[in-house]
């Protein structure tokens, strides 16, 4: 048993030493000809235009969050799906299927709620507060 752990330890040490040797070799062998052009920010071969700090459209964050939510869904369902056939053989197939359906139902309710609130709309409409004509003088 200890031999198995020693093998893993040896491979880990060899891997770490290899990384440090490659970094050191790169540092020692790299050419050093600094220039103003080489020290500018690389923008896909284009000359950088404007400042690097600018406001990013928040709509992209919403899309990214929805993507992450559904990726987590897949990651949490995958273990149950992988052992589903074995669970059926043990007589627990209906329970596993009910668990998956319950999980999907919770996510569907959350999705419907967020959708109804309008948080998934790509372009949000601004709602003006109602005017009270009696306060106008």
């Amino acid at each position: 048993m200890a031999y198995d752990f020693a093998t893993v330890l040896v491979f880990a040490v060899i891997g770490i030493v290899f990384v440090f040797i490659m970094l050191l070799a790169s540092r020692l062998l790299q050419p050093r000809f600094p220039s103003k052009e080489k020290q500018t920010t690389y923008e896909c071969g284009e000359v950088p235009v404007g400042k690097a700090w600018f406001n990013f459209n928040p709509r992209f964050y919403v899309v990214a969050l929805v993507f992450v939510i559904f990726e987590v869904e897949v990651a949490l369902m995958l273990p149950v799906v992988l052992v589903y056939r074995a669970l059926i053989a043990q007589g627990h197939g209906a329970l596993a299927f009910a668990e998956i359906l319950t999980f999907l139902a919770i996510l569907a309710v959350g999705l419907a709620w967020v959708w109804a609130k309008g948080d998934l709309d790509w372009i949000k409409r601004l709602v003006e507060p109602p005017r009270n004509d009696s306060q106008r003088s």
Side-chain angles (χ1 to χ4, degrees):
M1 178 97 159
Y3 180 76
D4 294 333
F5 289 118
T7 304
V8 171
L9 180 65
V10 168
F11 274 107
V13 169
I14 289 173
I16 291 170
V17 168
F18 180 76
V19 167
F20 282 117
I21 288 174
M22 291 298 116
L23 288 173
L24 180 66
S26 171
R27 182 77 175 162
L28 294 175
L29 298 175
Q30 70 183 354
R32 290 185 189 91
F33 302 109
S35 69
K36 185 177 178 183
E37 290 176 348
K38 288 184 180 180
Q39 293 177 347
T40 60
T41 305
Y42 180 72
E43 289 249 355
C44 302
E46 297 291 326
V47 178
V49 177
K51 296 189 294 185
W53 294 98
F54 61 92
N55 289 335
F56 203 77
N57 195 330
R59 294 179 288 198
F60 296 109
Y61 295 119
V62 173
V63 172
L65 286 174
V66 170
F67 174 76
V68 168
I69 288 169
F70 287 105
E71 283 299 309
V72 170
E73 171 197 356
V74 170
L76 292 176
M77 278 184 20
L78 185 65
V80 178
V81 171
L82 290 176
V83 297
Y84 188 65
R85 187 174 298 197
L87 289 172
I88 290 174
Q90 295 173 359
H92 301 295
L95 177 64
F97 189 69
E99 287 177 355
I100 290 174
L101 284 181
T102 304
F103 182 66
L104 287 175
I106 291 170
L107 287 176
V109 167
L111 177 64
W113 179 65
V114 171
W115 199 337
K117 279 183 61 178
D119 288 340
L120 296 180
D121 292 340
W122 188 254
I123 300 174
K124 292 193 177 207
R125 291 169 182 75
L126 296 176
V127 179
E128 294 183 20
R131 287 194 230 170
N132 191 351
D133 291 336
S134 65
Q135 291 179 350
R136 242 195 261 177
S137 308

